[in-house]
Amino acid sequence: MDKNTGRFALLRQLLADGVTSLFGNPGSSEQNLLDALRDEEFQSIRYYLSLHEGTAVAMADAYARALRTPAVVQLHSYAGLANGLGMMYYARRGCTPLVVVAGEAGLRYEALDGQMAADLVTMAKPFVKSDHNGPCAWRVVDSGSLLRLLRRAFKAAATPPMGPVLLVLPMDVLDRPNTEPIVATRPVYSRIAPDAGVIGNAARLLCGAKNPLILMGDGIAASNAQDELVAVAERLGAVVWGANCSEVNMPASHPLFAGYGGHMFGEVSREYTALADAVLICGTTVMPEVFPSVEGIFAADARIVQFDLNTSEIAKNFPVTVGALADPKPALGMLATALDDVMGAAEKEEAGERIRRIGERKRSEQEQLRARDAAARDRTPLRASRFFEELAGRLPDNALVFDEALTHSPELLRYLPQDKPGTYFQTRAGMLGTGLPGGLGLKVAHPDRVVVGVGGDGGSMQTIQALSTAARHSIGTKFVVCNNRSYRILKYNLRHYWKDHNQPTDQAFPEAFDLARPVLRFDMLAEGQGVDAVRVEKPEEIAPALDRAFGDERPFLIDVVLDSGL
């Protein structure tokens, strides 16, 4: 066997770039690559088989988010790529670095329009990140540039704003000799900050505000800038809302953290954005709702400062007073220092009073919510708050949670407030089906830590094949399915629509929103794929179910039947 061909060179390049996990679903046009992967030289690379490409991409997405490094996904020709495109777009919206490779039959068949012939690069263009050269999707047409393009793919995926990229691999290119040197891909340094003049101007605009607001997102976590964000918020006494926020960008228990902004409707966010007289935006899109408001987001005289590594996001939808290309960590650190210099004693005292007032309001609201939970604690059908309260008592401090609970996420966060960076990951961009594979990806990234993947019933059905991957590879994620027997989020949204259009809000919902027929038994679906499971319908069944789930290191699923009311 000739080991000096492209397929072996590609795998050696992956080793040089520290790749130890490959997520995929095989096909005939990748068979030569996967055959080479069996060689003893590549035993440190583990292939995680997914029985649907969406599951493979979602696993890789969570893995890359957990480790802050590009993950590699293998898809098969047009069919596998098409199945993975939805999750690739999810990764694009979330700026997750993925290197997706897709095989095709070969260059020699170009003129024949064979059965699986397709323009994979064109298919992928709307779903991958773009840089100044356009969409980051390439096809290797010469073996002598195979590794050149693979390194380009890694570099592009990992350069802010990060995202998924595609590299198409014709089989005959991989079978040709390859003599390219193996050189590790080096990241592009992007830890940049505005000059002192820009920072000083921003500080002067923000100080003295009576109702300051900070809008932040996952760019904070990507930069590891949580401490710097807190420092700026405390200097200003500014309430902090998460916009495009799905990770621990600020400790949830901090008195100034108000929570996650509106996901669906812009008027929800406008209730607080329009009241601010000074706004700092950092590491987020503005605004990320499905139905964003087109006007009235900010007060006409509000002073707005925006820092981001993604220049396309700065002033994209709304004018700003100061906008600057900046990595959040150094920029916010400099801003906190500048605020110390420009704020007077009276301004600092006012900021301290705001912190006290905002904190008291937050504590009062949390107490009211917990009191409401307590009143329904022993009811049947179960409330999600009861289950998450008991789950919280079983998890170690360093446990990881992947949250696709959607309408039940508020209860989850109420009892599992995420304060430690890198411990909480939520689904992004309105995507369903991420809870099960997301939990798998986190566990592959951190096999020594407890991982819980939470999904809804509708979303879990979309990637239920993830459970077979858990069983096959002994990935010990603990899965929770919030089974409310409906597309509950659609009911909330349609009720909102009815209200906006002056229609009765107590009318019947469309039959398509109902998931009660047939009865979805996620415990049986799990057991049919080799994962132990239990169904929980009563409060007294929760503790025994958790005992079983955390009794060993094997994967386990809890099918929690919840109240379906709104």
Side-chain angles (χ1 to χ4, degrees), residues 276-349:
D277 55 354
V279 183
L280 171 62
I281 305 168
C282 191
T284 185
T285 55
V286 180
M287 297 294 292
E289 299 95 356
V290 176
F291 303 105
S293 295
V294 297
E295 58 186 7
I297 300 297
F298 301 111
D301 59 350
R303 306 179 298 278
I304 302 175
V305 175
Q306 186 170 9
F307 295 150
D308 208 296
L309 272 174
N310 187 352
T311 55
S312 68
E313 293 298 336
I314 299 172
K316 180 172 73 174
N317 293 320
F318 306 100
V320 301
T321 314
V322 171
L325 173 66
D327 182 287
K329 189 175 184 70
L332 293 177
M334 293 171 65
L335 181 59
T337 300
L339 287 169
D340 285 336
D341 294 336
V342 301
M343 292 178 68
E347 292 167 331
K348 293 177 180 178
E349 184 177 347

Side-chain angles (χ1 to χ4, degrees), residues 47-119:
Y47 185 91
Y48 290 92
L49 174 66
S50 300
L51 299 186
H52 188 275
E53 292 82 359
T55 298
V57 179
M59 282 184 67
D61 176 270
Y63 177 89
R65 291 171 68 180
L67 295 181
R68 301 294 177 197
T69 190
V72 183
V73 185
Q74 170 266 312
L75 302 181
H76 169 53
S77 191
Y78 82 89
L81 178 60
N83 282 342
L85 286 177
M87 287 297 183
M88 286 174 62
Y89 190 73
Y90 162 74
R92 176 186 168 181
R93 296 292 297 192
C95 297
T96 304
L98 300 181
V99 175
V100 181
V101 297
E104 62 176 29
L107 298 178
R108 65 177 302 195
Y109 308 112
E110 186 82 9
L112 302 179
D113 193 28
Q115 183 165 276
M116 300 197 73
D119 186 348

Side-chain angles (χ1 to χ4, degrees), residues 200-510:
N201 188 21
R204 288 187 292 271
L205 288 168
L206 295 171
C207 80
K210 302 301 181 182
N211 191 23
L213 167 69
I214 296 177
L215 297 174
M216 58 76 177
D218 290 336
I220 300 297
S223 178
N224 193 29
Q226 292 90 345
D227 291 344
E228 289 77 10
L229 175 65
V230 168
V232 171
E234 291 179 347
R235 295 320 191 266
L236 293 171
V239 65
V240 180
W241 279 93
N244 196 20
C245 181
S246 63
E247 298 184 13
V248 180
N249 297 295
M250 182 177 184
S253 63
H254 194 285
L256 291 174
F257 180 66
Y260 301 90
H263 165 64
M264 292 299 302
F265 303 103
E267 57 261 37
V268 175
S269 303
R270 193 169 59 194
E271 291 179 1
Y272 53 83
T273 60
L275 299 177
D277 55 354
V279 183
L280 171 62
I281 305 168
C282 191
T284 185
T285 55
V286 180
M287 297 294 292
E289 299 95 356
V290 176
F291 303 105
S293 295
V294 297
E295 58 186 7
I297 300 297
F298 301 111
D301 59 350
R303 306 179 298 278
I304 302 175
V305 175
Q306 186 170 9
F307 295 150
D308 208 296
L309 272 174
N310 187 352
T311 55
S312 68
E313 293 298 336
I314 299 172
K316 180 172 73 174
N317 293 320
F318 306 100
V320 301
T321 314
V322 171
L325 173 66
D327 182 287
K329 189 175 184 70
L332 293 177
M334 293 171 65
L335 181 59
T337 300
L339 287 169
D340 285 336
D341 294 336
V342 301
M343 292 178 68
E347 292 167 331
K348 293 177 180 178
E349 184 177 347
E350 289 177 5
E353 175 59 25
R354 279 194 296 273
I355 295 173
R356 183 194 64 76
R357 187 171 64 250
I358 292 168
E360 287 182 355
R361 183 169 66 243
K362 180 177 179 177
R363 283 191 295 274
S364 175
E365 291 171 352
Q366 288 292 314
E367 288 172 0
Q368 292 177 36
L369 290 170
R370 285 178 179 259
R372 189 179 68 184
D373 292 344
R377 192 172 187 274
D378 296 324
R379 292 181 186 173
T380 303
L382 278 170
R383 273 38 175 192
S385 56
R386 172 66 185 270
F387 179 83
F388 289 129
E389 179 187 358
E390 294 204 32
L391 174 64
R394 302 296 187 100
L395 295 183
D397 289 341
N398 69 343
L400 305 180
V401 175
F402 194 98
D403 173 14
E404 193 212 348
L406 298 180
T407 59
H408 295 299
S409 287
E411 294 102 312
L412 184 154
L413 290 168
R414 194 144 64 238
Y415 294 96
L416 294 167
Q418 301 302 304
D419 285 350
K420 295 183 178 181
T423 59
Y424 174 76
F425 303 85
Q426 193 177 59
T427 192
R428 293 162 155 169
M431 178 59 75
L432 296 183
T434 59
L436 303 185
L440 290 178
L442 296 185
K443 186 65 173 178
V444 173
H446 294 290
D448 58 332
R449 295 167 68 174
V450 173
V451 175
V452 177
V454 183
D457 44 1
S460 295
M461 284 300 297
Q462 296 186 17
T463 51
I464 197 69
Q465 308 93 337
L467 299 175
S468 67
T469 301
R472 179 186 184 93
H473 298 288
S474 300
I475 305 171
T477 304
K478 312 304 178 182
F479 303 101
V480 175
V481 176
C482 298
N483 189 348
N484 54 40
R485 302 166 307 289
S486 68
Y487 284 121
R488 191 166 180 247
I489 192 169
L490 297 184
K491 294 180 178 179
Y492 277 112
N493 294 344
L494 185 56
R495 180 178 284 181
H496 190 283
Y497 175 87
W498 287 335
K499 183 178 179 182
D500 277 354
H501 289 75
N502 299 314
Q503 297 181 27
T505 58
D506 59 350
Q507 56 187 303
F509 292 105

